[in-house]
Amino acid sequence: MADGASREPQLCSEQFGSRAARGCLAAADGSLRWEAWGWRWWGFSGLFPARPQGRDGGGGATPGAASPPLSGLSTVFLPQGFPDSVSPDYLPYQLWDSVQAFASSLAGSLATHAVLLGIGVGNAEASVSAATATWLVKDSAGMLGRIIFAWWKGTKLDCNAKQWRLFADILNDVAMFLEIMAPIYPMFFTMIVCTSNLAKCIVSVAGGATRAALTMHQARRNNMADVSAKDSSQETLVNLAGLLVSLLMLPLVSASPGFSLGCFFFLTALHIYANYRAVRALVLETLNEGRLRLVLKHFLQRGEVLGPTSANQMEPLWTGCWPSLSLSLGVPLHRLISSVFELQQLVEGHQEPYLLHWDKSPSRVQVVLSQTAGPETILRAAIHGLVLEALQGEGPLPTELTELRNQVRAGPEKDSWVIVREIHQVLDKLFPKFLKGLQDAGWKTEKHQLEVDEWRATWLLSPEKKIL
């Protein structure tokens, strides 16, 4: 009987998110018979009739109600529509991020224990006023550092979100190490804890800003608020687990400073490793300077465009690991010229809405952007500068660029502005092919994460400019 029912055609079906659909058959009495959610979720086949008890045909229960416990937990800690509503790298990143948060929570409890010990908690001779003053000075130093760092590096955090994320967590480990060492040097205790809190406030700015940038990357259905809220729930759960473990750990390590320090180093190593794995799991589909340099180098040498996954795996994770070229986009025009002749020389040969100035030594490229420059123009300007860097480097290049490299290496006979003009002609053929390769490989070229200043300029068109 059941076999015959299972072969009957389905009247309709329904599906919750990306889960398996359940079908509906007609019963002999004219009612509807729905498959049970939980059985199909576990991978069993066959029809399991469930008579409706409400207008929705499911007794008023949600799909999660009949699902296993893990399915219910997913609605609490994962964004609605997971995994379709988030980026493919969401789960591996969040898993490693949870590991690093747990390790950081335990290490933080050791650091807090050391600070309270240094302030005088448990010491009858300690002064409440002195402890309060130390705490206020520590907080004031941190607040000042937060403002200065946000002003100094705030615009760079979006461009290199992965690198600054890793930097923030390592700096947090350094800050906790200072707190643990502070009671050993009572004469310098206030200075050490102030330095530590200054570092922690920098961590809060860098970590919070980069987390927001990564949330924008992970949210795929205009659900940034949901992704951020669930990330907060995951972090709260991990911190709660860390708090419970800390309550068991602190009595064991408080009597032995050496054992406490050993635990801290172990937790710090775990924290850094988990952070590295979390950041490496990210696959950002927008180009910053580092990823663009890798993709362009591979294209010039092999004629192929790296996809986002490969480029992200190869991207250096230290903000200071870039080659020697200094690339500045959106510089003011007055910085580059001081006479009519210099303006004419700079404009000559530029048929795109940007002007590029190249200093061979030191290797520095400065780009003036037009008022009409859009993302594609900025991307071409950055590629123009990176091609100039490739001329001074090693490795195979296309034929037309190999000839220019030989001219650059031959000596200073040819002025830099002449080389810049000739690369314009090469890019007229090379850039459309490269841009199409980026789009076919999965890169989002309609936006970028290149660091661009706000200066824009206008100038008279070069005589060679073709007006279409």
Side-chain angles (χ1 to χ4, degrees):
M1 187 71 178
D3 293 337
S6 64
R7 290 192 293 269
E8 296 178 12
Q10 294 183 353
L11 295 177
C12 55
S13 65
E14 64 180 5
Q15 181 178 2
F16 184 78
S18 60
R19 297 180 187 174
R22 69 169 180 172
C24 177
L25 303 178
D29 58 358
S31 62
L32 298 178
R33 302 177 65 189
W34 290 93
E35 282 185 314
W37 287 107
W39 296 103
R40 171 115 7 142
W41 194 94
W42 281 106
F44 291 98
S45 60
L47 181 66
F48 295 85
R51 286 187 175 274
Q53 298 177 0
R55 288 183 60 86
D56 61 356
T62 63
S67 299
L70 288 178
S71 179
L73 286 176
S74 69
T75 62
V76 177
F77 294 104
L78 294 175
Q80 181 178 349
F82 172 87
D84 301 320
S85 62
V86 293
S87 60
D89 57 11
Y90 177 84
L91 188 58
Y93 175 82
Q94 293 299 127
L95 289 174
W96 283 111
D97 189 57
S98 298
V99 173
Q100 69 86 18
F102 181 73
S104 180
S105 178
L106 296 182
S109 65
L110 295 174
T112 302
H113 176 267
V115 170
L116 295 177
L117 200 64
I119 287 178
V121 175
N123 186 357
E125 299 179 359
S127 168
V128 175
S129 299
T132 303
T134 300
W135 203 270
L136 292 176
V137 171
K138 174 179 74 73
D139 287 349
S140 299
M143 294 174 186
L144 184 62
R146 187 194 301 265
I147 295 172
I148 294 175
F149 181 78
W151 160 76
W152 181 36
K153 292 293 185 181
T155 57
K156 301 180 183 294
L157 299 179
D158 280 307
C159 304
N160 297 304
K162 294 195 295 184
Q163 289 81 353
W164 283 108
R165 181 75 178 177
L166 186 60
F167 166 82
D169 284 300
I170 293 177
L171 183 61
N172 189 52
D173 291 331
V174 173
M176 289 190 292
F177 176 72
L178 290 176
E179 289 180 342
I180 285 183
M181 299 302 293
I184 301 178
Y185 305 98
M187 291 184 60
F188 304 102
F189 179 82
T190 301
M191 183 178 68
I192 293 175
V193 294
C194 285
T195 304
S196 171
N197 200 58
L198 175 64
K200 283 191 171 184
C201 286
I202 293 175
V203 168
S204 68
V205 174
T210 54
R211 181 59 217 170
L214 297 180
T215 300
M216 290 180 62
H217 156 71
Q218 292 174 333
R220 294 301 167 95
R221 290 184 180 173
N222 285 331
N223 58 338
M224 182 176 171
D226 185 28
V227 173
S228 179
K230 296 304 169 55
D231 177 70
S232 178
S233 296
Q234 296 168 23
E235 186 176 358
T236 301
L237 178 65
V238 171
N239 287 337
L240 178 60
L243 177 64
L244 296 177
V245 175
S246 296
L247 292 176
L248 301 175
M249 179 183 67
L250 286 177
L252 300 177
V253 302
S254 58
S256 175
F259 183 55
S260 175
L261 196 60
C263 289
F264 174 79
F265 285 135
F266 170 75
L267 293 170
T268 299
L270 177 61
H271 179 239
I272 294 176
Y273 176 74
N275 266 293
Y276 175 82
R277 291 297 302 269
V279 172
R280 272 292 178 223
L282 290 169
V283 181
L284 304 181
E285 297 110 343
T286 49
L287 290 163
N288 65 356
E289 185 179 336
R291 292 188 287 274
L292 179 59
R293 177 178 279 109
L294 287 170
V295 175
L296 180 63
K297 181 179 179 181
H298 191 271
F299 176 76
L300 294 177
Q301 293 181 352
R302 303 186 182 183
E304 302 173 350
V305 176
L306 286 174
T309 301
S310 300
N312 277 269
Q313 289 296 317
M314 298 167 61
E315 182 183 7
L317 294 179
W318 300 105
T319 55
C321 287
W322 311 125
S324 57
L325 176 73
S326 173
L327 177 62
S328 301
L329 300 170
V331 301
L333 183 58
H334 69 263
R335 182 187 298 176
L336 304 182
I337 59 173
S338 59
S339 67
V340 175
F341 172 76
E342 290 181 352
L343 176 60
Q344 293 174 341
Q345 190 180 64
L346 186 63
V347 172
E348 183 179 356
H350 283 81
Q351 301 183 24
E352 296 292 329
Y354 68 88
L355 303 176
L356 188 145
H357 182 266
W358 178 37
D359 292 322
K360 292 183 181 179
S361 182
S363 185
R364 179 174 60 182
V365 170
Q366 300 178 82
V367 179
V368 178
L369 297 174
S370 168
Q371 296 282 2
T372 61
E376 187 174 315
T377 297
I378 295 174
L379 182 61
R380 172 170 170 144
I383 291 172
H384 197 153
L386 295 177
V387 168
L388 289 169
E389 179 189 38
L391 295 181
Q392 296 179 304
E394 301 295 335
L397 290 176
T399 305
E400 54 270 30
L401 290 178
T402 301
E403 296 174 359
L404 286 176
R405 171 187 278 176
N406 295 333
Q407 295 175 13
V408 171
R409 292 180 174 179
E413 291 83 5
K414 185 171 286 191
D415 292 331
S416 60
W417 64 272
V418 178
I419 300 293
V420 169
R421 185 179 61 187
E422 293 183 1
I423 289 182
H424 260 302
Q425 299 172 3
V426 174
L427 287 181
D428 286 340
K429 299 179 181 178
L430 203 63
F431 179 70
K433 179 181 177 182
F434 181 64
L435 183 63
K436 186 179 185 303
L438 289 175
Q439 295 167 347
D440 292 342
W443 293 101
K444 296 179 179 179
T445 57
E446 68 276 7
K447 57 183 179 180
H448 57 77
Q449 290 179 333
L450 298 168
E451 185 180 349
V452 184
D453 208 344
E454 296 300 315
W455 288 95
R456 297 296 183 270
T458 59
W459 55 87
L460 295 176
L461 295 177
S462 169
E464 300 178 11
K465 175 67 178 180
K466 298 177 182 179
I467 303 177
L468 301 178

